[in-house]
Amino acid sequence: MWQNISITEFILLGLTQDPTKKKMVFVIFFIFYVGTMIGNLLIIVTIKFSRTLQSPMYYFLFYLSLADSCFSTTTAPRLLVDSLSTKKVITYNECMIQVFALHLFGGMEIFVLILMAADRYVAICKPLHYPSIMKQQVCTILIILAWIGAFIHSITQIILALRMPFCGPNLIDHYCCDLQPLLKLACMDKYMINLLMVSNSGALCSSSFVILMISYIVILHSLRNHSTEGRKKALSTCTSHIIVVILFFGPCIFIYTRPPTTFPMDKMVAVFYTIGTPFLNPFIYTLRNAEVKNAMRKLWYITTTAESKR
């Protein structure tokens, strides 16, 4: 493994260099980030304290919201700070930590989405066996395995990042540290490391997307044998999941499954899946889910009633 001795810090160019646009970036993404944290934390608290949301689906949704909050936090706060700064400096060690965290929580989100699809498959296609298959112990083990899988994925990414020698300019044409913008600065033959990156992140995104879409096609096909009301409820739940899958994996596949070339839209695509998707997920899951909305209302009523009695 190479030791990087020539570059000790990088300068993030961010989304724009225009002072007026930088202020607009701060306002827009401050709203996005605050909305992301409030929405996901509201889901986390509601599932944690609501007795009606104790099924495996909401157990996995709890961890999806947790992953969303952490995933957005790896990039959004620095983007906000840098939009108000004149010099957007990030040290080499901080950059590597950001790469690790980005892929840890991004990988966790991928695995949780797969678990949610598996849960819906068992619930809809194997309803009689659902209680015995999706037991609490099984769900806990699956989440532990998801964390392990995400950790292994992020470790492989950070190893690739640490193997990049940097000896030239330290200007990263991006708002965060990730393998693609770092690879552009590396003083080495980029073919092999890009191949490794595509075979890791690219294969993870592409294969997971294919598995998820096939599973939901099978689920939707099996709904023909259900009652009208059961079909309507299952269809609403699965539609929410499919929307989230497309919103997350579309940009992810675009970024990680191509040769080491950059496009003008790369930063906006990255913004969409690192900040935009975590912001939209709470709205998608709550607006289309009556159980979550009712649980939130009950929790709000209990909280306000308790406060009024004090």
Side-chain angles (χ1 to χ4, degrees):
M1 191 175 295
W2 288 291
Q3 292 296 319
N4 186 356
I5 58 174
S6 56
I7 298 291
T8 59
E9 64 182 25
F10 297 101
I11 297 175
L12 296 167
L13 296 181
L15 295 177
T16 180
Q17 300 299 306
D18 184 272
T20 303
K21 291 181 179 179
K22 284 167 69 175
K23 293 177 183 177
M24 293 173 60
V25 166
F26 175 83
V27 172
I28 292 170
F29 289 103
F30 178 78
I31 294 170
F32 268 69
Y33 182 60
V34 171
T36 298
M37 298 308 294
I38 291 175
N40 283 293
L41 289 176
L42 187 58
I43 290 177
I44 289 170
V45 171
T46 302
I47 294 174
K48 183 70 176 177
F49 294 102
S50 176
R51 294 181 180 179
T52 61
L53 302 180
Q54 297 303 312
S55 67
M57 182 178 74
Y58 296 113
Y59 180 74
F60 295 138
L61 180 57
F62 175 93
Y63 282 97
L64 181 67
S65 294
L66 179 63
D68 271 337
S69 300
C70 297
F71 188 52
S72 183
T73 301
T74 60
T75 57
R78 176 165 286 277
L79 173 61
L80 294 174
V81 172
D82 288 346
S83 64
L84 299 178
S85 305
T86 54
K87 194 175 183 182
K88 311 159 189 176
V89 175
I90 182 171
T91 66
Y92 178 83
N93 290 337
E94 289 172 345
C95 186
M96 295 301 108
I97 291 171
Q98 190 174 54
V99 171
F100 178 81
L102 190 68
H103 286 273
L104 174 66
F105 297 117
M108 183 61 182
E109 182 156 353
I110 289 173
F111 291 124
V112 172
L113 287 171
I114 292 173
L115 293 180
M116 293 176 76
D119 172 73
R120 289 301 85 201
Y121 173 80
V122 177
I124 295 170
C125 301
K126 309 283 185 181
L128 298 178
H129 301 286
Y130 183 75
S132 59
I133 295 176
M134 301 303 293
K135 295 185 291 188
Q136 181 61 45
Q137 298 94 323
V138 174
C139 293
T140 303
I141 291 171
L142 290 174
I143 285 295
I144 292 172
L145 291 175
W147 279 115
I148 293 173
F151 181 77
I152 292 172
H153 166 68
S154 58
I155 282 292
T156 58
Q157 297 303 289
I158 197 65
I159 288 174
L160 291 178
L162 290 171
R163 289 180 65 85
M164 294 183 194
F166 302 103
C167 53
N170 64 341
L171 299 176
I172 299 177
D173 188 16
H174 215 282
Y175 65 92
C176 69
C177 285
D178 199 6
L179 291 183
Q180 280 282 16
L182 285 174
L183 187 59
K184 189 177 178 182
L185 303 180
C187 307
M188 61 181 295
D189 181 10
K190 301 170 185 178
Y191 174 78
M192 183 55 66
I193 199 163
N194 183 73
L195 186 64
L196 292 171
M197 184 182 72
V198 170
S199 64
N200 189 309
S201 293
L204 178 62
C205 291
S206 302
S207 60
S208 298
F209 179 73
V210 171
I211 291 169
L212 286 166
M213 295 311 296
I214 291 173
S215 66
Y216 282 117
I217 289 171
V218 172
I219 291 170
L220 294 174
H221 184 264
S222 69
L223 289 177
R224 297 180 306 164
N225 303 321
H226 287 66
S227 64
T228 304
E229 186 167 342
R231 185 162 57 241
K232 183 179 178 181
K233 183 179 179 181
L235 187 61
S236 177
T237 302
C238 290
T239 302
S240 300
H241 292 193
I242 292 170
I243 291 171
V244 170
V245 166
I246 293 173
L247 289 177
F248 181 81
F249 283 97
C252 183
I253 292 171
F254 176 80
I255 293 292
Y256 294 110
T257 57
R258 66 170 201 243
T261 54
T262 56
F263 298 102
M265 66 183 77
D266 280 356
K267 286 189 278 189
M268 293 312 300
V269 171
V271 163
F272 188 79
Y273 83 89
T274 58
I275 299 176
T277 304
F279 172 76
L280 293 173
N281 282 357
F283 294 99
I284 295 170
Y285 283 112
T286 55
L287 292 177
R288 297 186 60 87
N289 193 309
E291 289 180 336
V292 175
K293 287 190 286 187
N294 291 334
M296 286 181 176
R297 290 191 193 101
K298 288 179 182 178
L299 186 63
W300 176 258
Y301 175 77
I302 293 170
T303 304
T304 53
T305 302
E307 286 292 330
S308 63
K309 290 181 178 178
R310 289 183 180 179

